[in-house]
Each structure stands twice: as structure tokens, then as C-alpha cells.
Amino acid sequence: MSRVAPTSGTKVLYFLLIIISGFLIYIDLKHKSFEGIKNFYQSFIISSSYIFKSATVEPIKLLYQISKDKNELINENKKLKRELDNSHILNFIISNDSKFFADDDSINRFLDINNINEVFHLAKLEYFDTELYMCCSKHRAFIKTYKNNKNLIGSTVINDMGIIGHIIYGDSLSEVLLLTDIDHVMPIMSGNHFCNARGSGKPGKITCSYNNKVWQEKVSIGQEFYSSGMGGIYPKGILIGNVSDIREVEENFIEFDINLVSSPIVKNVVGVLESI
Amino acid sequence: MRNIGTVKLLIIIFVLNILESFIAPHLINFYISLPITFLVFSLAIYNSNRNSNPLFAFLCGFYLDLISSSPFGLNAGLFTMMSYVINSYANTFKLFSYIQICIFFAVSSVFYLGFKNLIIGLDNFSYSVLFVSLFFNTLLFLLIAMLRYYFPSMSIKYD
């Protein structure tokens, strides 16, 4: 079917509408007369889409979120249970064998270096009063062996740096008399020079005095002294320390201090050598 | 698409306006502008069996002005003009080939774009956009026109 071309009346209407359009464009651009209508329409669209979303999309999203949260909770629960099981296993290991985490390599290395073939028991430092150690003359430590209930009184206590003392009393805990305790005496030597070193009551320091008529060989600063093994407690030949200070206390009597190479406060794992 | 109802056309224009606002920012990166709403309205007038009322074209344009936030009267005037041209040359178009009609619509769309850019803001006016759009739109319409040869069922449905 053919279409009829616009009549003159229709053409006038077209022309009129185009003129009106031009006029509308002009007043809109010039005076912003239709901003209110446009803003109203935009706010209507935004509100409608919001209401539509709230009524349709949001409930579905909420349902999805609830199901997702539930899954997340289940997964979280499973994860926590797994971690709890792991924690139980770890606690079981620790409670049944606390030696599990103790490192005896350093003590083995120390014994190898000093050619000591004694059996040793790993022990941990249970109690050590550092204030007493720093201020006073009574230097004691309390240790507990991991897997040994033997009577270890008189046994040497070492760490990876050297000798720290020996056990003087043993029960559930063993009391260690440290080298620096004022009651402690230890025979030491350097070459042909022998001396009984007494604890100074000061941390890391022991004192030795001798008659220079008996021991004519002179002691010098930095000279190394070793355990002599004469007391029957400590093994022979372990480095004890270096001479730090020399003084004449009386005529023919020389006293010197030795700085110890080992310290009881460096590590909390020690080795107890079986009595020699 | 022949003799599409008024309400249907308004809904289509509303949806296409949203689609256009999504596509336009991406296409402009390639200097292309595709006035989908204008083209669909033109196609609806072109495919109609009878001449449409000028007031109908004017109100459709006015409606598009409202929903697209363009100055009032811009689309109203352009839609009225397009409606006049199509109604005036409706019988002449029957003598044209598809290629000529595709070129006509592409030129119309470029005219629409140019006029719109002039009114909204001269800063938006770009010859490169107009030329690339002319080339792209012509190709696009040719492709769409060729679809009826590859998919005859479509032409049966709409003719």
C-alpha cells in the first residue's frame, strides 16, 4: 500500500512543531526552564529503581548472603576444629616429652671439642634468682633433668660455653653450686701453675691466690686457665677463663681474678655429666 | 516491526536509551557515535504502512528529551524533521536499493549527531567522530540489511 505524501496542512503542522522545538531548545538553554521537570524525573527514576531493587533484588541477595554466611560459619567451624585437633596433638607431645623441643646439639658439640666422652643428661633451668646472682655472694641455680631420676649429686653441670658448676643437692630439682659462689672452690691450672680458684661472689668472676715462693712462674693478664681435674668433680682440661686482674695482697701472696668463659644465664638448657 | 504500537515504541525507546548510555562511552573511544534511539524511531516510521502524525514524532522526541536529560525540544525537533523526510519520500524509498537506504539512514544519523553536538556544546563537535560514525553506521546498516538474506525467517517474520 502506498503512503500519501504530507498534505499542506500537515506540512504546516510539521513546520509549527519544528518552530516550537526550536523555541523550547532556546528557553531551555537560555533560562533552564525545564530543570525542575528533569530533576523530578531523575529523582523519580532513582527512587523507583531503589524501591524496585529493595523489593526484588535485595531479598534475593539477602537470602544468598544468609546461605553464604552459613557456609562460611561451617567452614570456619571446620577450620577451628582442625586447629584444635592440631593443638591437642602438640600439647600431647609437649606434656609427654618436653625434651621434644630441647636442643642438645650445642652441648654435644662442646663435649666433642673438649674430647669428653662422658654420658650427659639434658636438663632445663627451672629456677635461677638473677637478682641474688648480681648482688650477693650466694650463686645457685635449680635444674631439672628431662628423663633421668638418678642421683646426680656431685655431677658437673655444663652448657655450650663451658662449666657452670656442680650439683650439690638433688631431689625433684637439683641445686647447682655455681663457680662464682663464694663457697665454691675449684682447682685450676695453666701449664705447670696450679691454683685453687674460689668463687668471688661476683657474676662471671672467680679469684685465685698463690704464694709466689711456691709457684715462681708469673701469671700474666689474659692467661688462660683450665680445669685440672684434681678435685674429682670436674673433668680435666676444660677452659675456665682468662686472667683479668693481678694484685699482691700480702708479701709473697699474689691474688688474681679470672673472667669465666661460661655464664649460667645465657641458656636455659644445660647438660649434667654423670659423676666421674 | 511494521506498525508498532505507541506504548511498545515508548518502552523500546526507554530501554534503548539506557542501552545507548552504556554503549556510548565505549564507542566514543573509537570516534564512533551510534544514536540507537533515533535510528530505531526512524526505522519504525519508515516501516509503518501509513504516515504517522507529526505530533506523534514530536511527543516521542519530547519523551526522549525527558529521559535522556538532553535540552527540551532537541530530539522533539529532530524526530519531527526525520518523520517529515521519511513521510515525504516514503514512496521514493521504494525505488531505492538497500544500499541507498542504508546510506540515507547513516547520513541521517550523522546529521542528527552533528546537530545534537552543535546544540549541546560546540566542544563536543568533532569532524573525525562524524566521518568515522558515517563509515561505521553505513557498514553496520549494510550488515543488518544483509541479515535478511542469510536469515530469511527474520524477513518473513517482520515483513
Side-chain angles (χ1 to χ4, degrees), chain B residues 6-27:
Chain B
T6 309
V7 177
K8 218 181 202 178
L9 183 65
L10 292 179
I11 293 168
I12 289 171
I13 287 174
F14 181 80
V15 173
L16 290 177
N17 177 55
I18 295 168
L19 182 72
E20 193 179 324
S21 63
F22 278 116
I23 293 173
H26 301 290
L27 285 180

Side-chain angles (χ1 to χ4, degrees), chain A residues 80-142:
Chain A
L80 283 171
K81 195 174 178 312
R82 234 182 356 257
E83 283 180 6
L84 189 67
D85 289 345
N86 287 340
S87 162
H88 279 153
I89 291 165
L90 284 174
N91 283 337
F92 176 79
I93 292 167
I94 292 165
S95 60
N96 283 276
D97 184 8
S98 50
K99 186 178 175 289
F100 189 77
F101 296 104
D103 176 26
D104 58 357
D105 286 350
S106 54
I107 291 171
N108 270 324
R109 213 174 312 123
F110 172 78
L111 294 176
D112 287 345
I113 290 167
N114 290 284
N115 293 319
I116 299 167
N117 298 317
E118 306 296 333
V119 177
F120 80 94
H121 305 285
L122 211 59
K124 63 177 175 178
L125 204 58
E126 284 285 322
Y127 176 73
F128 182 70
D129 192 336
T130 46
E131 277 188 26
L132 202 66
Y133 179 69
M134 292 295 178
C135 77
C136 310
S137 56
K138 194 174 180 182
H139 293 179
R140 307 288 164 94
F142 295 86

Side-chain angles (χ1 to χ4, degrees), chain B residues 73-84:
Chain B
L74 176 65
N75 283 303
L78 290 170
F79 276 30
T80 313
M81 275 192 255
M82 190 63 181
S83 169
Y84 174 74

Side-chain angles (χ1 to χ4, degrees), chain A residues 252-265:
Chain A
N252 298 328
F253 271 93
I254 305 292
E255 190 177 86
F256 59 91
D257 293 336
I258 295 171
N259 279 346
L260 296 175
V261 289
S262 64
S263 169
I265 55 174

Side-chain angles (χ1 to χ4, degrees), chain B residues 12-144:
Chain B
I12 289 171
I13 287 174
F14 181 80
V15 173
L16 290 177
N17 177 55
I18 295 168
L19 182 72
E20 193 179 324
S21 63
F22 278 116
I23 293 173
H26 301 290
L27 285 180
I28 202 69
N29 293 329
F30 306 101
Y31 298 97
I32 295 166
S33 188
L34 184 65
I36 303 172
T37 44
F38 174 77
L39 287 167
V40 167
F41 172 78
S42 305
L43 190 69
I45 299 286
Y46 173 78
N47 273 339
S48 178
N49 282 332
R50 52 193 166 78
N51 283 354
S52 60
N53 195 318
L55 205 60
F56 171 72
F58 179 80
L59 291 175
C60 278
F62 206 72
Y63 168 70
L64 185 60
D65 285 331
L66 178 71
I67 62 174
S68 66
S69 301
S70 50
F72 265 114
L74 176 65
N75 283 303
L78 290 170
F79 276 30
T80 313
M81 275 192 255
M82 190 63 181
S83 169
Y84 174 74
V85 172
I86 290 172
N87 285 335
S88 300
Y89 298 99
N91 294 321
T92 317
F93 284 139
K94 288 174 183 167
L95 305 172
F96 284 9
S97 67
Y98 278 113
I99 297 174
Q100 285 170 314
I101 290 167
C102 288
I103 292 170
F104 166 74
F105 276 108
V107 171
S108 305
S109 68
V110 169
F111 171 77
Y112 171 82
L113 288 173
F115 199 76
K116 198 175 171 182
N117 288 344
L118 282 174
I119 295 291
I120 290 173
L122 269 177
D123 295 338
N124 298 325
F125 194 85
S126 162
Y127 282 111
S128 47
V129 171
L130 294 184
F131 285 120
V132 175
S133 298
L134 175 66
F135 180 71
F136 175 80
N137 290 348
T138 310
L139 274 180
L140 182 72
F141 300 151
L142 283 172
L143 276 172
I144 293 168

Side-chain angles (χ1 to χ4, degrees), chain A residues 1-6 10-11 13-14 17-18 20-26 28-29 34 37-38 41-42 45, chain B residues 14 45-46 48-49 51 54-55 58 62 66-67 69-74 77 80-81 83-84 87 90-91 94:
Chain A
M1 199 174 85
S2 63
R3 282 160 67 166
V4 192
T10 319
K11 281 181 186 173
L13 188 58
Y14 272 118
L17 289 174
I18 290 167
I20 291 170
S21 304
F23 179 69
L24 287 175
I25 293 170
Y26 174 75
D28 192 12
L29 293 177
F34 301 105
I37 299 169
K38 285 177 188 171
Y41 173 75
Q42 292 299 336
I45 289 292
Chain B
F14 181 80
I45 299 286
Y46 173 78
S48 178
N49 282 332
N51 283 354
L55 205 60
F58 179 80
F62 206 72
L66 178 71
I67 62 174
S69 301
S70 50
F72 265 114
L74 176 65
T80 313
M81 275 192 255
S83 169
Y84 174 74
N87 285 335
N91 294 321
K94 288 174 183 167

